[in-house]
Amino acid sequence: MAFGAQELRVLRRALALALHPTPASAEDVQDCLRLAESVDEAAREGARLRAFLLADLARYRAALPGTAAGYLVLLEEALGSGYRPDPDDLAALRALSGNPTAAALLDRCRALAEQDVRTRLAGLSATPTVPASRTRLTALPGGLAATSASEEPEKKPAGSPAAEPRPQSPVRSPRPARPIPTPGEVFPPKRKPAPPPANPPQQLAAG
C-alpha cells in the first residue's frame, strides 16, 4: 500500500496528534476520517484480490500437470502476499520436481512449513505466566487471594463427629379458649306432648 504526498501529510498530522494531544481543527478531523476510509477500502480490496488469487491457485493446481507454468507463477505470487503452502501444494511441487522453478519453490515451501511447525510447537510448549500487576493484586490486603480464602468453607476436624440434629418436638395446636358446643347442645330435641289420660274424669251432673 502506497501513500501519496497529501495522504502522508495527513498521516503525519494524525501521528502528531496521537503523540501530543492538542485541540484538532475541523479540517484535520475530516482529513483523518477520509484517510481512514481510504485505508479501509484498500484493505478490503486487497482481501478480495487475495481471495481471487487463492481461488485461481486452487483451480490451476487441480488441473496439473497441464497448467504447471501458470500454477508456479500463481504460487510464487501467493507466497509473496503471505500465503502459507498446504500439503496439496507440497505434493504438487514434488510431482513437478523435474522443473527447476518447481524445485526452487519446493525448497521455499518446505522452509515455510518447517517454520510454521516450529512456531506452533513453541506456542504449545510455552507456559502461561501471570503478569506482575496481577500478582501484586493477589498479594495486596483484600485482593484475590484474600477473597478466595474467605470463600473457602471451614473444614471441621477429622476426629470430631458430626453434630446430630435434635429431634423436633411435635407441634401442638393451640387450645380453644371455649369448648366447641355439640350439635345436640345447639339444637336440643323437641319434647313430645304428654298423651291424654285413658279414663278422663266424668263431669258431675248438675243436680
Side-chain angles (χ1 to χ4, degrees):
M1 184 182 299
F3 292 101
Q6 181 66 17
E7 293 172 341
L8 288 176
R9 184 190 66 81
V10 176
L11 184 59
R12 282 196 299 269
R13 179 59 178 159
L15 291 175
L17 291 173
L19 294 175
H20 305 286
T22 55
S25 61
E27 183 180 359
D28 290 337
V29 173
Q30 292 297 326
D31 290 341
C32 291
L33 291 177
R34 281 193 293 268
L35 179 61
E37 292 176 358
S38 300
V39 171
D40 292 340
E41 180 60 28
R44 287 191 294 268
E45 184 64 22
R48 285 193 294 267
L49 292 177
R50 189 171 184 272
F52 289 142
L53 175 61
L54 296 182
D56 288 341
L57 181 66
R59 284 194 294 268
Y60 274 75
R61 184 177 58 225
L64 287 174
T67 56
Y71 169 72
L72 296 176
V73 172
L74 290 175
L75 180 59
E76 189 171 4
E77 184 178 354
L79 293 176
S81 65
Y83 171 72
R84 287 295 183 265
D86 56 13
D88 292 337
D89 292 317
L90 295 176
L93 291 174
R94 291 191 192 97
L96 300 173
S97 57
N99 190 316
T101 306
L105 285 175
L106 180 59
D107 294 338
R108 182 179 175 184
C109 290
R110 281 175 177 171
L112 292 174
E114 291 176 359
Q115 181 181 357
D116 291 342
V117 170
R118 285 195 297 269
T119 303
R120 199 156 42 241
L121 292 178
L124 293 176
S125 61
T127 56
T129 57
V130 180
S133 58
R134 296 187 182 181
T135 307
R136 290 182 57 190
L137 286 177
T138 57
L140 290 175
L144 184 59
T147 305
S148 60
S150 62
E151 292 178 355
E152 292 183 358
E154 297 180 357
K155 296 182 180 179
K156 298 181 179 180
S160 61
E164 297 181 357
R166 297 182 179 178
Q168 297 180 357
S169 59
V171 180
R172 298 179 180 178
S173 59
R175 294 181 179 179
R178 298 173 57 187
I180 301 175
T182 61
E185 295 176 353
V186 177
F187 304 101
K190 296 181 179 180
R191 295 180 180 179
K192 296 180 180 181
N199 298 316
Q202 296 180 0
Q203 296 180 357
L204 295 177

